[in-house]
Amino acid sequence: MGKDSATGKGKRENIASAIWNTGVAIPLVVLIFWHQGSKFGWWSAYLLPGPAVVMRSFFSLLESGELSRNIVSSIVRILKGFSVSSVFALAAAFVCGIYRPMLRQLSPTLEFLRHIPPMATIPMLILWFGIGEASKLVIIVMATFFPIFLNTVQGVSQCDRGLLEVARIFGYTKAQSLRLVVLPSSLPYVLTGMRLGLGYSWRSLIAAELVAASSGLGYMILDAEQLSRPDVIMVGILVIGFLGSVMDFSLSYATARFTSYGRNDVVV
Amino acid sequence: MSWFDAVDIRKEYPLGDGVKVALDGFSLSAPRGDFVSIIGRSGSGKTTFLRIVAGLLEKTSGEIRYGGGVPPRIGMVFQEPRLMPWLTVEKNVLFAHLSRNRKAIPYDMAKNLLEMLGLSLYKDAYPSQLSGGMAQRVALGRALCREPELILMDEPFGSLDYFTRRSLQEEILRLYMRDKKTIFLVTHDVDEAVALSRRVVVLDQGRVSREIDIDLEYPRKRTNPAFAATVEMILSYITG
Ligand SMILES: Nc1ncnc2c1ncn2[C@@H]1O[C@H](COP(=O)(O)OP(=O)(O)OP(=O)(O)O)[C@@H](O)[C@H]1O
Ligand SMILES: [Mg+2]
């Protein structure tokens, strides 16, 4: 405890430095501006309801269970799509990273697919699968496959040949080298790919739910639009941003935690 | 026939349209427990020979024979430590055993090796936390933990400072005196070769140009006039 902290001046300084260090200064300024603007009528409350109104609808949506229901259904989709996509992308990437001719065969096709935004396929997906779960799953898989696949291929191919030679001298079989050298050495790349993929999939899922869904945060926003409830839309937007950051932070924390290997200069 | 025989080894590397001959009629025999230093100018084929013995490289022709019939277990130390960055020091030392059954992992042996190499405190550290000299010690421990019958070292101290190099040389010598394993050491340092090995082999353009037996008592004093004379003699063989 610093001596200053007992005095009022020290306390104020501590709060100021905490705000500065955690980077909440900008959100705070925006919030104050938003609050003042609504209070003094700088814009119509219909165009942008004030933070107090948004807060109130947040709690009422929470109470009615509508918010949690939509959050859960979006998150469950992400979990499903993300796992399916990870399995395929990792398997494909390891095969391609090790067996180069396969990568040569696949890369023109993949390059072509990579440039198609998942949302562009939504009309076809609705045509084929309706607005049920399948179309959202496909969207998520499309959004996550490439970052995971490409990063993993890179991770596998950057594996230090010197380390593989050590394994070979010590009598490792090919499979053992793969499991005990290639796999761990590409882990940082795999996790980076997953983190990127998770971000992409969250955004594309919400977009897909805005067009074709009967639940989820995207659907909640769409529904609020039809009911002319800008406050609910704002709740949706803020929750989406918040959950996205939380997911990203968890993965980057895990990446730092599991792949720092004693280096303490890792920046999250 | 000795314990180790390399007979008339030839190694060609494809290079551009032609080939580069790295080893050309290279022959070397060694009894069990020999300590051979291989010395020679850059590009004379030293690394190529070690890599062929280690099985990392195919030879173009020639033969490597072992008196015991089967190839021995080999431990190798490279110029760089080549440690697995994701494994702790202890696990790196145990690397040769990680591919086997969990129950068969000889933690005791690793513990003894770490103690002997003065690394006990760093058991749970990661390679990124080690100095160059410590990392090279770990690499040595890793090679020894395989209980090798033949130890190959390719300029293992090349990138270390003088003091660290000297202390690792003493370490190697102590090990050699204790276990009498067969060691092939590639080095650029004539002093080191004379201090450590029973025999120095001078390599020139892919073949052995000289073999010198070092008949000095261990541990060898660098201040001994015979030591200095041997170093001078070998230097003159290399520079021609
Ligand atoms: N992969 C390769 N392709 C073509 N030529 C090679 C290759 N590896 C080595 N050589 C050549 O073979 C010769 C012997 O190389 P080697 O690495 O065995 O030498 P060295 O004695 O270990 O040298 P140094 O003391 O510099 O390490 C050199 O002329 C080198 O250029
Ligand atoms: Mg070399």
Side-chain angles (χ1 to χ4, degrees):
Chain A
M1 265 287 170
K3 205 171 78 183
D4 276 354
S5 60
T7 72
K9 188 173 166 239
K11 230 180 234 164
R12 232 176 298 138
E13 264 169 17
N14 283 350
I15 293 172
S17 79
I19 287 174
W20 185 252
N21 290 335
T22 49
V24 295
I26 293 174
L28 216 58
V29 168
V30 171
L31 191 65
I32 291 168
F33 179 75
W34 181 16
H35 178 257
Q36 294 301 100
S38 324
K39 191 170 158 195
F40 297 111
W42 295 349
W43 54 75
S44 140
Y46 180 71
L47 291 182
L48 178 60
V53 180
V54 171
M55 187 72 109
R56 227 172 294 130
S57 17
F58 172 75
F59 282 114
S60 82
L61 284 167
L62 208 57
E63 232 166 277
S64 71
E66 195 182 334
L67 184 61
S68 354
R69 202 170 51 245
N70 285 316
I71 289 178
V72 167
S73 91
S74 289
I75 299 246
V76 166
R77 283 175 190 143
I78 289 286
L79 289 180
K80 278 191 201 153
F82 194 67
S83 355
V84 170
S85 185
S86 300
V87 169
F88 281 113
L90 288 177
F94 274 100
V95 171
C96 287
I98 292 152
Y99 187 62
R100 281 303 163 139
M102 183 71 110
L103 186 60
R104 259 198 309 283
Q105 282 306 310
L106 276 174
S107 61
T109 312
L110 293 175
E111 185 61 19
F112 170 79
L113 290 173
R114 192 165 73 86
H115 291 288
I116 302 170
M119 276 309 287
T121 63
I122 253 288
M124 301 311 284
L125 294 179
I126 294 176
L127 200 59
W128 296 336
F129 305 115
I131 63 165
E133 292 307 303
S135 51
K136 259 81 71 193
L137 200 71
V138 174
I139 290 281
I140 295 172
V141 169
M142 284 181 72
T144 43
F145 183 86
F146 291 101
I148 300 178
F149 174 82
L150 294 173
N151 273 282
T152 307
V153 167
Q154 201 197 343
V156 172
S157 24
Q158 62 75 48
C159 182
D160 189 342
R161 298 181 65 89
L163 302 185
L164 288 169
E165 283 185 357
V166 171
R168 201 158 135 209
I169 289 174
F170 284 174
Y172 279 44
T173 62
K174 280 240 164 71
Q176 287 169 336
S177 292
L178 180 62
R179 186 164 56 86
L180 295 163
V181 180
V182 177
L183 205 67
S185 98
S186 54
L187 184 64
Y189 291 79
V190 172
L191 288 173
T192 303
M194 286 189 155
R195 183 179 165 199
L196 287 173
L198 193 60
Y200 292 169
S201 70
W202 184 236
R203 276 169 303 197
S204 347
L205 170 67
I206 301 296
E209 286 174 351
L210 276 165
V211 179
S214 49
S215 64
L217 285 168
Y219 166 78
M220 190 179 95
I221 290 177
L222 183 73
D223 192 44
E225 184 198 353
Q226 275 148 13
L227 299 172
S228 301
R229 289 286 303 276
D231 52 327
V232 176
I233 296 178
M234 285 308 292
V235 170
I237 290 171
L238 294 175
V239 168
I240 288 166
F242 178 74
L243 290 179
S245 324
V246 168
M247 288 191 284
D248 190 69
F249 178 79
S250 331
L251 256 189
S252 73
Y253 180 79
T255 308
R257 176 96 176 63
F258 293 120
T259 63
S260 71
Y261 310 131
R263 290 184 307 261
N264 36 21
D265 51 346
V266 179
V267 184
V268 176
Chain B
M1 188 164 174
S2 329
W3 184 75
F4 174 91
D5 281 301
V7 187
D8 209 15
I9 306 277
R10 184 181 175 81
K11 174 65 191 176
E12 298 170 356
Y13 289 108
L15 191 68
D17 293 333
V19 293
K20 160 82 199 171
V21 181
L23 291 177
D24 182 17
F26 178 99
S27 297
L28 180 70
S29 297
R32 178 183 222 122
D34 204 357
F35 193 148
V36 183
S37 285
I38 301 165
I39 210 158
R41 290 163 182 260
S42 184
S44 54
K46 306 181 293 293
T47 297
T48 303
F49 169 64
L50 281 200
R51 291 174 62 81
I52 288 174
V53 175
L56 295 174
L57 206 57
E58 292 287 340
K59 52 191 175 313
T60 309
S61 66
E63 220 183 322
I64 290 185
R65 286 193 296 249
Y66 293 97
V70 286
R73 250 198 321 278
I74 288 177
M76 186 157 180
V77 182
F78 298 87
Q79 183 169 356
E80 333 79 57
R82 299 199 183 183
L83 303 177
M84 310 295 145
W86 57 90
L87 295 178
T88 60
V89 164
E90 183 189 36
K91 284 280 161 60
N92 264 294
V93 167
L94 286 165
F95 187 71
H97 304 279
L98 296 184
S99 60
R100 305 194 322 195
N101 186 342
R102 260 168 202 282
K103 291 201 190 83
I105 296 181
Y107 287 100
D108 286 354
M109 183 163 37
K111 187 163 177 287
N112 290 337
L113 281 169
L114 288 173
E115 211 156 285
M116 187 189 77
L117 295 166
L119 289 164
S120 297
L121 279 176
Y122 292 87
K123 177 170 153 289
D124 297 317
Y126 286 92
S128 67
Q129 297 168 313
L130 304 177
S131 69
M134 290 194 310
Q136 202 59 310
R137 270 172 212 269
V138 176
L140 180 61
R142 175 177 66 187
L144 294 174
C145 198
R146 202 190 177 202
E147 298 189 279
E149 296 155 276
L150 175 60
I151 303 176
L152 306 175
M153 298 194 263
D154 193 354
E155 295 181 51
F157 318 132
S159 58
L160 303 177
D161 67 89
Y162 180 75
F163 305 106
T164 314
R165 198 158 68 219
R166 281 292 288 267
S167 87
L168 272 167
Q169 286 170 2
E170 270 159 37
E171 205 75 64
I172 299 269
L173 198 57
R174 213 149 51 83
L175 277 166
Y176 176 63
M177 300 311 292
R178 198 187 69 181
D179 303 339
K180 289 287 174 353
K181 310 228 172 169
T182 315
I183 302 180
F184 293 168
L185 169 74
V186 165
T187 176
H188 277 134
D189 184 346
V190 181
D191 214 63
E192 177 172 292
V194 176
L196 299 180
S197 52
R198 290 192 181 281
R199 225 141 46 91
V200 175
V201 168
V202 179
L203 216 65
D204 185 28
Q205 297 185 10
R207 59 167 68 226
V208 175
S209 68
R210 297 272 185 171
E211 285 189 38
I212 303 106
D213 290 322
I214 315 280
D215 290 324
L216 305 168
E217 282 287 321
Y218 288 112
R220 295 168 179 164
K221 286 251 173 294
R222 283 170 162 84
T223 47
N224 180 349
F227 187 102
T230 313
V231 169
E232 280 309 313
M233 180 180 72
I234 294 172
L235 267 176
S236 74
Y237 290 153
I238 298 171
T239 52

